[in-house]
Amino acid sequence: MEEGKMDENEWGYHGEGNKSLVVAHAQRCVVLRFLKFPPNRKKTSEEIFQHLQNIVDFGKNVMKEFLGENYVHCGEVVQLPLEFVKQLCLKIQSERPESRCDKDLDTLSGYAMCLPNLTRLQTYGFVEHRPILCVEIKPKCGFIPFSSDVTHEMKHKVCRYCMHQHLKVATGKWRQISRYCPLDLYSGNKQRMHFALKSLLQEAQNNLKIFKNGELIYGCKDARSPVTDWSELAHHLKPFFFPSNGLASGPHCTRAVIRELVHVITRVLLSGSDKGRAGSLRVGLGPQGPRVCGASPFSRSLRCQGADVGPAGHRRPLPSVQPG
């Protein structure tokens, strides 16, 4: 980043999670990712630099090996003028969800990560003919521990994400419990993946966002966000799936568009020839540890129908019990 050309007015709020906040440049396809901390917790500039560098190194040394060279953007740690960071923090404060304002953006170190903005492409001629659609999924931790060091029995049956759903609803962070479970998305089984993606679309929380030419068209910031509207989403997506305008408007059209979106995302997640990417989903978690979360509505519904989920996510009948 060129220090002499940093203007906070050229950057806008993009989103944030529990530990970091992202701003996007208005013209260039880049974002800056800042760490954030509780007001009473301060870290030195060296600690913040090392924290960000660890994230970059993890991308290079772990995620690229796991997903493949073409599917990981590691970014780089950059140092920014402190005055720019302070003014940027003031500029975006009003756009932040109230539930996220318990932590402050780091304005003391000047360090941030610079990454490509994948919600947009630096090909403006293409945009004139067909808009660019970006689906951002924050899939969350998707395994159940099998180690004997984990002593709580429930943790061997229910994944961390599903347990946290109950906590977040109880504390008012979200309105209702999501039916999404990471283990369903990671299963490599199309039926389970379809269920997981539809559940994300029904209750996106901060785990799914959809952008059109860099603008958010679907997703929510916190429990105060308006209820997501599938018909509005279908209106945005219809040109991608039905360019001839073959379907009439209404509920049937909306369901058809959403179904096509889910099928496309599933195909993308299961495809690819680069190192590690396709095999990781298909192989699953290996022989150790459960592959089905006890809290997943998908697996619960199968149990109610008298079926179990086998090692690869396939249905198999439950054994019958003969009276003695």
Side-chain angles (χ1 to χ4, degrees), residues 149-162:
D149 293 331
V150 180
T151 56
H152 199 298
E153 184 182 357
M154 184 60 68
K155 293 184 178 181
H156 289 282
K157 299 177 180 178
V158 177
C159 75
R160 185 175 184 270
Y161 175 83
C162 289

Side-chain angles (χ1 to χ4, degrees), residues 1-3 6 11 31-34 45 48-49 52-53 56 75-81 84-85 106 109-115:
M1 307 298 292
E2 299 179 42
E3 287 194 14
M6 299 302 293
W11 298 82
V31 298
L32 293 172
R33 175 181 175 182
F34 294 89
S45 297
I48 290 174
F49 171 81
L52 292 169
Q53 189 59 51
V56 173
E76 61 176 339
V77 181
V78 295
Q79 188 165 24
L80 306 165
F84 161 74
V85 178
D106 164 42
S109 73
Y111 289 114
M113 279 179 64
C114 183
L115 294 147

Side-chain angles (χ1 to χ4, degrees), residues 217-253:
I217 61 171
Y218 197 77
C220 61
K221 296 179 179 179
D222 58 16
R224 296 172 181 81
S225 300
V227 177
T228 47
D229 184 355
W230 274 16
S231 60
E232 183 179 348
L233 175 62
H235 174 74
H236 283 288
L237 298 181
K238 191 176 178 183
F240 289 91
F241 302 116
F242 303 102
S244 61
N245 205 24
L247 278 180
S249 60
H252 178 73
C253 173

Side-chain angles (χ1 to χ4, degrees), residues 178-181 194-204 297:
S178 171
R179 292 164 60 83
Y180 168 72
C181 176
H194 288 172
F195 183 88
L197 291 167
K198 286 179 181 176
S199 298
L200 276 178
L201 285 163
Q202 287 169 342
E203 186 69 22

Side-chain angles (χ1 to χ4, degrees), residues 66-257:
F66 184 65
L67 295 176
E69 184 79 20
N70 294 334
Y71 302 103
V72 179
H73 295 273
C74 301
E76 61 176 339
V77 181
V78 295
Q79 188 165 24
L80 306 165
L82 291 180
E83 186 60 27
F84 161 74
V85 178
K86 291 174 183 176
Q87 293 302 319
L88 178 64
C89 181
L90 292 173
K91 177 179 181 288
I92 65 172
Q93 186 62 31
S94 62
E95 300 179 62
R96 298 181 63 194
E98 185 179 340
S99 61
R100 296 291 189 185
C101 291
D102 58 333
K103 295 182 180 180
D104 298 329
L105 184 147
D106 164 42
T107 58
L108 300 177
S109 73
Y111 289 114
M113 279 179 64
C114 183
L115 294 147
N117 184 353
L118 299 180
T119 68
R120 298 167 55 203
L121 295 176
Q122 197 82 42
T123 51
Y124 297 110
F126 180 80
V127 178
E128 294 174 3
H129 296 92
R130 179 67 68 96
I132 296 167
L133 183 69
C134 170
V135 179
E136 176 185 304
I137 300 175
K138 191 177 182 181
K140 295 293 190 178
C141 181
F143 71 95
I144 296 178
F146 57 86
S147 170
S148 58
D149 293 331
V150 180
T151 56
H152 199 298
E153 184 182 357
M154 184 60 68
K155 293 184 178 181
H156 289 282
K157 299 177 180 178
V158 177
C159 75
R160 185 175 184 270
Y161 175 83
C162 289
M163 286 191 284
H164 272 221
Q165 280 292 299
H166 290 271
L167 174 64
K168 290 178 179 180
V169 170
T171 56
K173 183 171 182 180
W174 299 112
R175 279 187 293 261
Q176 63 183 31
I177 292 174
S178 171
R179 292 164 60 83
Y180 168 72
C181 176
L183 271 73
D184 290 332
L185 183 66
Y186 296 151
S187 68
N189 173 268
K190 288 183 180 180
Q191 188 180 4
R192 290 177 67 186
M193 293 175 74
H194 288 172
F195 183 88
L197 291 167
K198 286 179 181 176
S199 298
L200 276 178
L201 285 163
Q202 287 169 342
E203 186 69 22
Q205 298 186 358
N206 67 330
N207 300 317
L208 181 139
K209 294 179 180 179
I210 300 177
F211 298 85
K212 186 177 179 180
N213 289 343
E215 297 295 325
L216 182 68
I217 61 171
Y218 197 77
C220 61
K221 296 179 179 179
D222 58 16
R224 296 172 181 81
S225 300
V227 177
T228 47
D229 184 355
W230 274 16
S231 60
E232 183 179 348
L233 175 62
H235 174 74
H236 283 288
L237 298 181
K238 191 176 178 183
F240 289 91
F241 302 116
F242 303 102
S244 61
N245 205 24
L247 278 180
S249 60
H252 178 73
C253 173
T254 297
R255 288 193 297 270
V257 171

